[in-house]
Amino acid sequence: MKEYIKRIEKKILDGQDISFEEAIKLSNLEEREDIVELCNSANNIRDFFCGKEVDLCTIMNAKSGRCSEDCKFCAQSAHYKTNVQEYELISKEAVLELAKENESEGVNRFSLVTSGRGITGSEFEKVLAIYEELNKKVKMDLCASLGILGYEQLLKLKETGITMYHHNLETSRAYYENICTTHTYDERINTINAAKQAGMDICSGGIIGLGESLEDRVTFAFQLRDLGVKSIPINMLNPIKGTPLENAKSLSQNEILKTIAVFRFINPKAIIRLGGGRNLIDEFGKNCFNAGANATITGNYLTTSGNKICDDKRMVNELNLEIRKNS
């Protein structure tokens, strides 16, 4: 298989796209030495198209719990009893305090994340005011993850200084109905397209380990490529008690590494970002950076704990990579 992997690597380095059939064949690799070779090639592709910069972002859980949607993995859904902390939109002062702290530690991006189908009304106006203040007070790139929104709302967000909108597709279209029934896949795609129309870059990925097939993952990766997604967060399911997926079987380390590598083959120029579930991987996903990843969410996540910013910076240095400098 080594020759086959190197042939596909060369094809991508020459500016051609991998085919669906080729990606499936890579996804079906099982031997450890083949997966190592796949990861090495993915790392070469990352290095060629993206260089050695690593992008660090932090997210702040700005409104928690009581979500109307029934996403089967989510602790914040009102459909499940998870004992997650619940609170309304946090204050501007609390946001600025955390943002400035993250900026001082060298974080590149900062994003508010709110529970619910999509933020509206007076809460949306408050979020706009918060981002206007952030744009004045910090030099980090600003992102937002506020659910299903329309073009006019997204344009207002862009005007506050937000450069990237985050909205996960989560999985393939075919598998999506097994994960959520309260809104459609097309509603998510429409939000992504509206954010692009408003002039923002897109951060969109999902979760692996939901019970999806390898073909679902490959189809999903191609969907992200076709949408022109710039940043692809890959989360590993961290089963939460009280959700329908609380007893889901965890993926093996090899399966995770192989998936990240295949995503890099399909999306050679994208930022591939480690997300939730890093605590389930050896050394908080250190090997994932040798499989094509070049970014990570750092610090605490929404309802699970992440790696400390200082530890991630140390890890990046140990890998002979470098944190992107804020402009």
Side-chain angles (χ1 to χ4, degrees), residues 128-139:
L128 290 178
I130 290 172
Y131 273 108
E132 286 171 356
E133 194 72 11
L134 283 171
N135 195 31
K136 296 174 186 174
K137 299 288 179 66
V138 300
K139 294 182 179 179

Side-chain angles (χ1 to χ4, degrees), residues 15-26:
Q16 301 176 61
D17 290 332
I18 188 173
S19 71
F20 183 83
E21 292 73 21
E22 289 166 339
I24 288 291
K25 188 169 182 176
L26 294 180

Side-chain angles (χ1 to χ4, degrees), residues 214-259:
L214 291 173
E215 185 171 326
D216 283 317
R217 282 184 218 157
V218 171
T219 302
F220 173 39
F222 274 97
Q223 174 74 80
L224 296 170
R225 186 198 70 180
D226 293 344
L227 284 168
V229 171
K230 182 175 181 179
S231 170
I232 301 175
I234 297 178
N235 302 275
M236 285 57 69
L237 179 67
N238 194 354
I240 295 171
K241 186 173 176 57
T243 65
L245 294 176
E246 65 177 328
N247 296 316
K249 184 180 178 182
S250 296
L251 298 176
S252 69
Q253 306 279 317
N254 280 346
E255 188 79 2
I256 293 168
L257 292 173
K258 181 171 64 171
T259 299

Side-chain angles (χ1 to χ4, degrees), residues 4-258:
Y4 180 79
I5 295 167
K6 297 305 288 185
R7 187 164 73 249
I8 304 302
E9 176 193 336
K10 184 178 185 305
K11 177 180 178 178
I12 294 167
L13 295 180
D14 287 343
Q16 301 176 61
D17 290 332
I18 188 173
S19 71
F20 183 83
E21 292 73 21
E22 289 166 339
I24 288 291
K25 188 169 182 176
L26 294 180
S27 295
N28 281 318
L29 295 175
E30 293 292 344
E31 297 298 325
R32 173 62 183 164
E33 57 267 29
D34 291 336
I35 295 173
V36 169
E37 191 66 39
L38 178 71
C39 291
N40 288 339
S41 286
N43 202 38
N44 292 340
I45 293 168
R46 185 270 311 156
D47 193 45
F48 183 83
F49 287 104
C50 305
K52 297 190 179 298
E53 281 191 340
V54 172
D55 188 87
L56 297 181
C57 75
T58 54
I59 58 179
M60 185 176 193
N61 197 7
K63 178 186 176 184
S64 181
R66 297 191 290 273
C67 180
S68 61
E69 308 308 285
D70 69 353
C71 304
K72 303 298 186 291
F73 53 82
C74 188
Q76 299 201 50
S77 173
H79 294 258
Y80 319 125
K81 198 167 184 179
T82 63
N83 297 317
V84 71
Q85 187 179 8
E86 298 179 353
Y87 50 84
E88 295 302 321
L89 191 67
I90 58 175
S91 69
K92 183 189 298 183
E93 292 72 23
V95 174
L96 284 170
E97 181 181 357
L98 182 60
K100 288 180 178 179
E101 179 185 317
N102 287 332
E103 181 182 37
S104 70
E105 294 195 57
V107 170
N108 305 117
R109 300 178 185 275
F110 182 79
S111 179
L112 297 183
V113 181
T114 54
S115 67
R117 177 184 176 86
I119 197 161
T120 58
S122 61
E123 285 190 324
F124 181 71
E125 296 303 319
K126 288 177 183 177
V127 166
L128 290 178
I130 290 172
Y131 273 108
E132 286 171 356
E133 194 72 11
L134 283 171
N135 195 31
K136 296 174 186 174
K137 299 288 179 66
V138 300
K139 294 182 179 179
M140 293 181 291
D141 291 332
L142 298 178
C143 309
S145 182
L146 310 173
I148 296 171
L149 301 182
Y151 169 72
E152 295 298 332
Q153 286 178 292
L154 291 159
L155 187 59
K156 287 180 179 179
L157 289 170
K158 172 67 165 57
E159 290 168 351
T160 68
I162 293 171
T163 60
M164 183 178 285
Y165 193 71
H166 169 261
H167 196 59
N168 279 347
L169 288 180
E170 305 301 5
T171 188
S172 72
R173 179 185 289 275
Y175 195 70
Y176 189 75
E177 64 182 15
N178 297 295
I179 298 305
C180 180
T181 65
T182 49
H183 58 265
T184 67
Y185 205 70
D186 282 327
E187 285 178 286
R188 289 186 173 256
I189 289 178
N190 290 343
T191 297
I192 288 171
N193 285 331
K196 287 170 64 179
Q197 186 184 355
M200 287 184 277
D201 290 325
I202 302 302
C203 179
S204 181
I207 304 174
I208 59 174
L210 297 169
E212 77 284 354
S213 66
L214 291 173
E215 185 171 326
D216 283 317
R217 282 184 218 157
V218 171
T219 302
F220 173 39
F222 274 97
Q223 174 74 80
L224 296 170
R225 186 198 70 180
D226 293 344
L227 284 168
V229 171
K230 182 175 181 179
S231 170
I232 301 175
I234 297 178
N235 302 275
M236 285 57 69
L237 179 67
N238 194 354
I240 295 171
K241 186 173 176 57
T243 65
L245 294 176
E246 65 177 328
N247 296 316
K249 184 180 178 182
S250 296
L251 298 176
S252 69
Q253 306 279 317
N254 280 346
E255 188 79 2
I256 293 168
L257 292 173
K258 181 171 64 171

